[in-house]
Amino acid sequence: MELLSYVIRKLIGGIPLILGVTLISFVLMVYFGPDKTFELLSKNPTEAEIAQVRAQLGYDRPFLVRYAEYLKEMATLDFGFSDSTGERVSSILSRTIPVSLALLAPGFVLGNLLGIVLGLVAAWYRGGWVDKLIMGGAVVGMSISFLVVIVAFQALFGVVLGWFPVRGWNVHDLPSYAYYVTVPTLASVFVALGYNTRFFRAVLVEEINRDHVRTARAFGARPAEILFRNVLMNAMIPIVTRILFSIPLIVVSGSLLIESYFGIPGIGKVTFDAITSGDQPILKAVVGLTAVLFVLILIVTDILYRVVDPRVSLTGDAR
Amino acid sequence: MTRINQPHPVLRVDNLCVEFATTAGQIRAVDQLSFSVEAGQTLGIVGESGCGKSVTSLAIMGLLPKPAGRIVDGSVLLDGQELTRLPEGRLRQLRGAELSMIFQEPMTALNPVYSIARQMTAVLKRHQQLSARQARHRAIEMLARVGIPRPDQRIDDYPHQLSGGMRQRVMIAMALSCQPKLLIADEPTTALDVTTQAQVLRQMVDLQQELGTAVILITHDLGVIAETCDQAVVMYCGSKVEQAPVADLFLQPRHPYTAGLMQSIPRIREHKLDRLPVIEGQVPNLAALPPGCRFAGRCPNREDRCVQQQPPLTERGAQQFACFNPWNGPVES
Amino acid sequence: MIMGMLLLAACSEPPSDDNRDVYRHSEDEAPASLDPAQASTVYSNMVVVNVFDTLYRYKYLARPYELAPNLAAGFPDVSDDGLTYTFRIRSGVEFTDDPAFPDGTGREVTAHDLVYSIQRHFDPGVRSQGAWLWSGRIVGLDEWGQNGADYAAPIEGLKALDDHTLQIQLTAPYPQLVYTLAAGFSALVPKEAVEFYGREFSVKPVGSGPFKLTSFNSALATFDRNPKFDRGVLNLADEGYRDDLHGTYGLQALDGQAYPFVDGLEIHFIDENASRWNSFISGEVHNVMVPNEQIDRVLTSKDPIELNDDMAERFHKHSGIEAGFVYGGFNMADERFGHHPDPDQDAANRALRCAIRDAFDWQARNETFYFGLGNVFPGVIVPLVPEFDADLSRRSVQHNLQSANQALDEYGWRDQLPSMSYGMPSSVQQRQMFEQFRAQVQEIGFSTDQFSPESFATFGDFSRAIKNRELDLFFLGWSLDYPDAQNTLQLFYGPNETPGSNNFNYNNPAFDALYEQTLTLQPGQQRTALYRQMNQLVIDDCVVISGLSRTRVHLWDKQVRMLPDREILGGFFMRFVDIGNESETAAMSN
Amino acid sequence: MSDPGIILPAPEPAAARLRPERTSLWGRALDQFRRDHAAITGLAIVAVFFLMAVGVWFGWWGTQWSQALGGRWEGPSGGHWLGTNLLGQDIFQRAVYSTRTAFEIGLIVAILSTLLGGLLGALSGFYSSRWIDSVLLWLMGTLDSIPFYLFVAAVAVAMAGNPWAMHIAMVATFWTTTARLVRGEVIKLKNLEFVEAAHAIGLGQFRIIFRHLLPNTFHILLVQGTIVFVSAIKAEVILSFLGLGVQDGVSWGLMIAESTQEVLAGQYMNFIVASSFMFVLVMAFNLFSDGLQDALDPRRAPR
């Protein structure tokens, strides 16, 4: 009950954010967005046809009417049909989002897990050569462009070694999944690892210097026990925050590059195609749902805080 | 230096030297420190912050921060066992079981995300191979012994639900739960208010007497020394300047530094001391120690040789001090 | 658990049954819409003509391209005045089964469906991209659209006389009409499905073609053979088979057999050249059009096109010229360099355009971007159409800095050159092409700032800029809708000026008069001569920097018996594709 | 205190007497920075690149980046040190010219977003929990909730090929982090005595913000500036690949984008050169930025 009222309160609190996101993206992507008219017209259009298509696309209506319509679409979660293919936006989303999730999940999980493990190791040996090695590697990883990694991995694994497909997504069972997901996963882990390790190390070092860690050592706890119970568990709040808040960005931004490059029919590629072809219904849906996702994550994060830290209460303020 | 025919001490520290690697070079934080503690006895170590007393306790525990700090010389014998050469794994088995330590800040010394029960039973399970039920039972019993009301309920609390005094009691209960031979208490009451301070100290001493534990009490508060300790070691700039039975020390301090400390104690202790009484002058930098007596710069009895060479430890009765020109007068106030 | 569910949800297709013969085709782009009303691209056509039926199709092997009846039973009866066409339609052809039909069974295809399908183009709600094929040509059709597109209202020029007879009345002779009925635009759609699926008809097409679409996304379309499809047997001789040209492809074995031959079809849309190539090499798809950057690795000779031994060992090859071309154009409506009322200035402007055209180096463009495989030709009558003139002077496609500079000096352009904006969709290759062009015009005195790129994030925005006459210079490609030079010459017809297809806004009364004259002419010497006259006008006026037709080199797996060709023919060849099993293939090569 | 390794047993005043250490934040930071070899190396490399960029500005080198000087895909030679690309352009000249592009993007985006972030962050912090603050916080939350590439793409598309679209989009997204940090610092600072004193003697609010608060957040701004610089250069690569980046000229991102097709045709030079140039600069800047953070953030003091 407490939880429910909390969630409702938070949802209402998220409305300004959703309004903000929709307004800004509406202005940029819809009102000043690309003009699809001439892509839908024939090779030999007439003025009347142009006016007709513009009217069908709704370009001729005033700003406020169009924005209000967007909000109505948000409220009903019905974004109509794609301007390019005519496919229902909801069916595009339900077709592509699972692909993106399946594509990104292994890299996301591995990137964070490895980041935490390396962060723990570096924090434990802070100042030593192990730490310097890991952190040096992290800086190197951070300095390489995602695009360079993708190009290099594709060339290496797909062309030179030929172990994995160069592109595509023809997944129907576990082996084929592993076959297609490996190179994108490696690339995204490689790119995320540097940033993750640095962040986790910083958080963990701060925790490792706390008094209760010294207490645990003074009472004979083993390093693994200390790292897990004292360091990791206590650093959960920043860790959970980072991991959760990276989800919406990864689902859209991260998948965008990987999917365009590897030709995988996920939400990122659809979004990118929508940008470059001005498919506004899809853009409206993706941006709007991302904002909703953000609000949901805000709520989930708060609830998880409660789970990982007994000092946090949902009714009062944290810590 | 060593005395024969003494009762076998629980802990003997001999010629302990600890160095730290810093950006300014090697720093000797503890220099040629020796002392011993017997079972049931309480040894106080007193000195200004930064004088090396906390480093000493960490060195004994084997908890010097690595790789910056290390023991460069000397020995630490616990019950005849050399700790400085013990591998980490073996040392770990001793910590919490044979030798325990409690810290200054009760607010932060406990892990905030686990309940008291979980933290106490973890120690008991680790060292005494008790079952979960036995460990819990034992933990409640220990909490009761340090004077925590309704221990069977409070044990499931989280640290943030307890007051500072309560938390320090939990720490003491936890530290003594495996009946260690030695307990090191590093400023255990400094962070508490005056009334709680007295209660907690009392509780600790009572339990120590019951269990026959040897205690090293590290403090900057001479009042605490006077109330609880048998022997006291006064440290200055990493080395021992004076050691004596508490009664002797307060009666007749020999080292001018000790005397200075004594003089600045307010007679009537109405409020707790946040810091040591002020002595004129400045403490020298450990990275660039003067060749002579480290206190020379601030010493009213300074002579020329004090600046040039280090005074050796002199024994006079049960009292030891390192001074060429010891204090003989009464302690003024 | 969650991962497992994700995996299930992310599965694109159940694994194909090993016993099924599936032809896996690769294309370089995905179609946007599968609705015949919007089948404006090669990619849409590829799918549309396989899912739907058209009255006519192109013969499999005959070149130049020839029409053959498909759904129609023979060629139409044409009245003497060339205005009334009567078509007979096969009986017994049915749409595939689909929930859109009552009780899910496809009904018979009738002439009414064709009427409906062409009407749709004139329905303002449909967003037709093909209406222009018939616009102003069929009696009453345009008016029908303007008067509210009431499907119950009869149209005089477009009616089904009975279920199997269709009559079209033209406003003026239109020799290209039969061609338009082989275009994907004219494919027959069932009204039931259009109404049932509404907007989503464009991704859930239902037709009577040789295949039935089973799934579609931007990466892959899969098809099953339409079991109801029956057009008899493949007659190689009728399709234009010649032993000297097609003998090595193993097609003879298919002669006299009922098609389609394969059980299923997959079309993989793979944008990136390298990916498509690698998919082909690794056997993931059966065919590929050799991407430019592989040309040097694959070919030992470009003229004639010869594969290296390794490739020739593994793959069949066929090459041909694309049905289209790429060209650069000026916006003639701009008085700084286009048409000018003052004859002297008009001549000077013409000299400027000619100088830029002469500065442009087709050879370099061909070498750099098409690896020398492009076919550079003068004018706008492309090599693929019968009216092409191989003997036309190549003067207009020669890189000639001297004449360019001379002309600029002569007409006083030196140091007075106007600033020109060059529009392009934002892509790496477009930018490289621009950089190469800019380096060339710098040779005739343009500075970097005077020749500036204007890039557009979407092709739509680029088109809008052209249609709004905002760009001085642009490069575009054109693909033919039918093999007739009229299809490219109409790009210069004055009344077609923007937003029409005349992006140049070229307005030359002499040209327009000739164009109008040719409209009603049947193919023949006379018409060809007029076409060539028009072509010369365009060349002389330096309206266009043209042109280049790309050579397509197709490779395919020797296991597959076919001749792939996507020009004009679109996806029509797929019904004749067969997958031989290993032993058969081996036996044949012996 | 917490870790005995951090608080060394050397009292401050004594240290001050024996060794003339600087006590101000900047003085100590300088000392700390000087001892950080990695950071010094990074700074030196950045300086070399900067000189390279300056040279391009003044037209000393890298002038022939757009001319087709050679044939297609020539290997390294005396004439073309690192070979040529598809169009026969000299890869080395292009890489060098791109240094200028990188600095232009990095500096413009870093300076503008730091200024904007500093200003709005200070305003937000100074008027914390008033309406200005709420509006600014809402704006930051909103901008942070729009996926970055989507946002940049949208700005680029909306501005229709404007060469500054990319810069504007990056500034619009990068300022929020700086603003949040500055806001936190200002909230801390404004309760300090000197600010209250400034209030007491009746100084104007803007004067307080500009004279007393903002200058005290300069260390945050500096560090954030370096971080944004690196992010901007890296983002440019992706945006150029997506066709939304540099409009006229050449950049490492464009070179890499050009090379994506070449790589698969077995031509690696363009790819390797552009990514190496970029990697070295970004790496050096990262090291430099790390050193700055270690030096300026007491909590990040090494171990």
Side-chain angles (χ1 to χ4, degrees), chain B residues 42-58:
Chain B
T42 303
L43 174 79
I45 299 181
V46 69
E48 290 168 300
S49 56
C51 73
K53 48 192 202 298
S54 288
V55 175
T56 305
S57 62
L58 291 173

Side-chain angles (χ1 to χ4, degrees), chain D residues 6-269:
Chain D
I6 285 186
I7 305 302
L8 282 172
E12 288 289 338
R17 195 191 59 209
L18 286 166
R19 193 152 163 272
E21 279 193 67
R22 275 164 269 234
T23 45
S24 75
L25 171 73
W26 293 97
R28 256 181 294 136
L30 194 64
D31 278 341
Q32 155 78 25
F33 189 82
R34 277 196 189 134
R35 284 194 293 268
D36 191 337
H37 298 301
I40 295 286
T41 316
L43 184 60
I45 296 174
V46 170
V48 170
F49 272 88
F50 186 69
L51 284 180
M52 206 144 62
V54 169
V56 176
W57 255 302
F58 285 108
W60 295 337
W61 44 65
T63 48
Q64 289 179 298
W65 59 273
S66 81
Q67 274 88 333
L69 301 169
R72 171 167 75 213
W73 291 335
E74 282 178 17
S77 67
H80 307 291
W81 292 354
L82 298 173
T84 62
N85 68 358
L86 173 77
L87 296 179
Q89 295 162 323
D90 186 293
I91 291 177
F92 179 72
Q93 296 233 20
R94 287 170 78 76
V96 168
Y97 186 89
S98 300
T99 312
R100 166 191 153 165
T101 315
F103 270 92
E104 273 176 3
I105 294 166
L107 287 176
I108 289 173
V109 173
I111 290 172
L112 289 183
S113 64
T114 307
L115 283 180
L116 191 66
L119 203 62
L120 295 184
L123 273 181
S124 181
F126 189 75
Y127 296 106
S128 60
S129 46
R130 292 212 247 149
W131 69 268
I132 294 188
D133 183 38
S134 311
V135 169
L136 285 172
L137 278 178
W138 166 80
L139 188 64
M140 293 180 219
T142 301
L143 288 174
D144 287 346
S145 307
I146 304 177
F148 173 64
Y149 290 118
L150 208 58
F151 182 79
V152 178
V155 172
V157 171
M159 297 186 64
N162 185 313
W164 300 107
M166 174 178 65
H167 303 73
I168 289 170
M170 286 194 203
V171 170
T173 40
F174 288 155
W175 69 272
T176 56
T177 318
T178 311
R180 283 181 202 281
L181 291 172
V182 169
R183 176 178 181 271
E185 187 72 13
V186 165
I187 290 178
K188 210 165 75 192
L189 285 173
K190 75 170 182 175
N191 295 321
L192 292 183
E193 286 167 18
F194 76 100
V195 179
E196 295 194 338
H199 273 292
I201 62 170
L203 283 183
Q205 296 186 324
F206 281 93
R207 211 180 152 83
I208 293 174
I209 293 177
F210 285 104
R211 282 287 176 79
H212 297 278
L213 292 176
L214 263 180
N216 279 298
T217 61
F218 192 72
H219 61 287
I220 296 180
L221 298 182
L222 188 67
V223 168
Q224 274 306 110
T226 61
I227 293 175
V228 168
F229 186 100
V230 170
S231 312
I233 294 181
K234 290 183 72 180
E236 184 272 330
V237 177
I238 312 275
L239 293 173
S240 291
F241 170 71
L242 298 178
L244 304 166
V246 174
Q247 295 301 313
D248 193 10
V250 64
S251 72
W252 294 322
L254 281 176
M255 290 176 72
I256 293 173
E258 282 170 15
S259 71
T260 51
Q261 291 301 322
E262 302 178 356
V263 161
L264 296 149
Q267 298 296 331
Y268 297 103
M269 233 26 218

